[in-house]
Amino acid sequence: MEKKKSSATSSSGASDSLVNLVWFGAVAYALFLFLFNAYVIRLQAIQEYGPVIHEFDPYFNWRATQYLYENGYKKFFTWFDHKVWYPLGRPVGTTIYPGMQFTAVFLKNYVFGESMTLNDICCYIPAWFGVMATILVGCIAYETSLSVNSGGTLVGVAVDALKGKYTKSNDMTSKSVTKRFFGFESPAVECAVFAMGFMGVVPAHLMRSVGGGYDNESVAVTAMSGTFYLWLRSLRNGEKYNYLFGILAGLAYFYMAAAWGGYIFVLNMIGAHAAFLVLMGRFSTNVYLSYTLFYAVGTVLAIQIPVVGWSPLKSLEQLPACAVFVGYQLLYYCEGMRKKNKWGRKEAWKFRIQVFGVAAVLGTMFIMAVTPKGYFGPISSRVRGLFVPHTKTGNPLVDSVAEHQAASQQAYWQYLHMLCFMAPVGFFLILFRFGDSSCFLFVYAVAAYFFSHKMVRLILLAAPISSSLGGIAVGRIVSWSTSVLLGEGDQPVEKKETKSETKSKSEGKKKKKASSSSDESMAGFKAISDGFNQASNSYEGKIVKSIAAVVMCVSLYMQATTFSTYAWRISASLSNPSIILKGQTRDGNIIKVDDYREAYWWLRDNTPEDARIMAWWDYGYQITGIANRTTIADGNTWNHEHIALLGKALTGSVEEGYQIARHLADYVLIWGGGGGDDLAKSPHLARIANSVYRDHCPGDVTCRAFGFVDRQGTPSPMMERSFLFNLHSHKLRPGVEADPTKFQEVYRTKYGKVRIFKIIGVSRTSKNWVEENRKCDAGGWFCPGNYPPGLKEILDKKKDFAQLEDFNRGTKDDDYQKEYFENLNNPELAKKRARMNEKHEEEMKAAQKPTETKEKKTLSDEEKIEIYSTWEDTADTTLMWQIVTTNAVDDLKRWLDQDPGAAWLRSADGRGPMWWAFESKNQDIVSTLMMAGVPHTDKDKNGLSPVDLLKE
């Protein structure tokens, strides 16, 4: 009998070893496949176009990297660049997040040396760091799926918190786990592997990590994922010194802060999780030490970065994490006093209220003392836009950027694909696999969805959490399916209890009484679960489970194949460098359009080294990075007023634009060729100009008078008069030709995508004045420039743009902001009003000419009846309602002068301007309409006359 038993045991052990060996091989193969795909999918751009830097911002990063490599870090941090933002310049070293540049230079100096050029390193960094981010996201999924971190439930932990009980670590440990080779756990390993599979190819991550996309986010996602993983690692249950990982998390956060401005999200994300742990009753010595070490180390190091400085302790965007840090110190002090004095719950809460009350008073006094001195920095317009109910920020410069717009459902599907439904499954699962680490995914998921919904660019932040949750969902499904098919999940039939077992259980009753109420709160669910398990372990149940396992695995495989194909297709489109385009000739041949680089090379080779190039700010980075020429503005957008001046020059009249350009530039570079060229962007330029120069579009804050009037591209009168339109359409449109006394076209690219004009009559006086009047500080390197006197008359008209959130400024611009949002919310009405105002101005100018006589427009009775009998809701009736209800008498009179029929408009409910005037009690409007002959006794759809509305 014993031999049989020993033989069975030996056979079982061999079988288990074989299963583990197969499992290990499958995991290793999947891991290799996913990481290999993660790398290769990011190299499509390099394989197709070679090691070429993409887009706009990466060219600034490349130029800064080159400067750091050639001059060293000391000169880098004291680099004041006079080739940008002419004539002001920019202190690059103190306004850049230098983490990526230092990384590239380190790799060049200490890893690759002469075997790889700096340009090639910069092109490959996004791919390398994309793979690293993939691995780290897998680590996050693994950590949050470990048995010691996922044994509780959200409901159970919440109930414990409400009862003032701390859920013990043993009760937060999951029992449904299988140990594999080297101590790795299943399903944690499966969750990690599939999370890597998703992160490696998900388009939300690819959009910022393809080869050549040398942008801050390509490194920052890795830094963010690393910071999150180390923070979660510091919270692992059952280990004595794991809080030391909080120090490593602080170091990772330092690198994150050096790499990207999104470090604020990382800081607040961990701060929010730390606060959530307190609310869930999970505050402990380990949690306290982890967060304290993370925040202290991370903040001390972050403030050493020039661009960050003291903002973690001053910026309203970063102070919440600081408040959590202070709260942790107070709470830890209270807990120490509670344990020391052995207080009960009531005494402990009383002491906590006293301590936090005193802290609140002292904090309020501090805030009141430093706020008037401008200590606190305002919330940036981009961050503010994430919390306002509309999709705009109130800043036309920020609103002009497409990636700052709200995300649509289509955008989520485009960038997340199958994760749109797999991530919610994972989210649901973690609610029943809850722990200190896994609840981070709960907080992260809510925050990532909220912010990405507000700004499409931030779908990037959703990539790690979506991949983690998707990996957890698929990993647990695959792990369960595997165990069912291998028979590992089978449970033996319960045997009768012996007397000794009965005695043992009776002795354990005291322990059950002292156990956490997490299990008690889930007792009903547990009973249902036990019944389900008993049924599923029957013969029929095993068959059903096996069929379900096969169906799920096949379904997941089919979905994964579709997702992989989709990801590779999206990667191909994301791999277009934008500076090089693909086109098709009439005979069907595919060509590469390299017009943009050709234009920059022409500038580099055919213009003086001190040549100044006027172009819209989008192209500034490429001009300085490739042509090495001075630009007026670039993508940094740090000076709203300066960009507005550039916008005024480009969208103002030819004469006005020329008078600005001749004092600032030697050449003008124009993007043409249709699509997203300068003319297509120009309405945004005009709107930005008008935010500072209110005379640019008088009475029209969103400059709706500047733009196209139809789908055929017919320009409005204001656009047709503009500096930009005349250069863009020079000799391309009938009758359009740049003034030869002001401009000379010196270069046009092969396919007409770029045109370069030389400015005739450049002011040498202004150019010399700028060179001779730079004022340096005591350090001798900070030397900002000034505008030449020749621009004084124009600059005197500007009104500095007041951000809504900047409470440190004494001035406000409420009227502008109010009208700005009204026009954005109803663009058609704004456009019609702008056209109406422009037409009125033209008529006023014509009326001033003594030789011309102007006849007032009149309507026949038949025309009045036709308009009056047509009841429908249109843009005109909406505009009329707005004019009447706001008592805009001048606007009404101006409209009626141009179109007398507007007085007879009626909406779908039968009401018109006379009804609205009586309802609003606007006597002046009533008088104006009566003079136009509009009756006040007719009935609307409900049988009410205008007079009846007055009685109401």
Side-chain angles (χ1 to χ4, degrees), residues 177-224:
V177 61
T178 303
K179 290 287 186 180
R180 300 293 187 182
F181 276 142
F182 309 115
F184 288 114
E185 292 184 2
S186 176
V189 171
E190 289 91 332
C191 293
V193 170
F194 285 108
M196 293 184 199
F198 282 124
M199 188 64 178
V201 297
V202 66
H205 185 208
L206 287 174
M207 68 176 177
R208 294 290 179 177
S209 61
V210 295
Y214 186 56
D215 214 345
N216 296 69
E217 291 93 326
S218 62
V219 169
V221 173
T222 303
M224 177 176 69

Side-chain angles (χ1 to χ4, degrees), residues 598-611:
E598 288 176 5
Y600 303 142
W601 290 331
W602 186 91
L603 287 173
R604 180 194 63 193
D605 299 334
N606 296 276
T607 62
E609 289 187 6
D610 65 345

Side-chain angles (χ1 to χ4, degrees), residues 54-62 214-215 457 621 635-636:
H54 293 197
E55 303 292 340
F56 300 109
D57 292 6
Y59 275 94
F60 165 74
N61 294 325
W62 152 247
Y214 186 56
D215 214 345
R457 175 187 182 182
Y621 285 150
N636 183 248

Side-chain angles (χ1 to χ4, degrees), residues 754-788:
V754 183
R755 308 177 77 179
I756 300 174
F757 293 83
K758 183 176 182 179
I759 300 173
I760 308 299
V762 169
S763 174
R764 299 298 305 179
T765 302
S766 292
K767 189 170 186 178
N768 293 334
W769 188 93
V770 169
E771 294 292 329
E772 296 168 0
N773 287 273
R774 289 172 179 152
K775 297 179 180 179
C776 299
D777 65 358
W781 70 270
F782 189 85
C783 305
N786 294 282
Y787 292 107

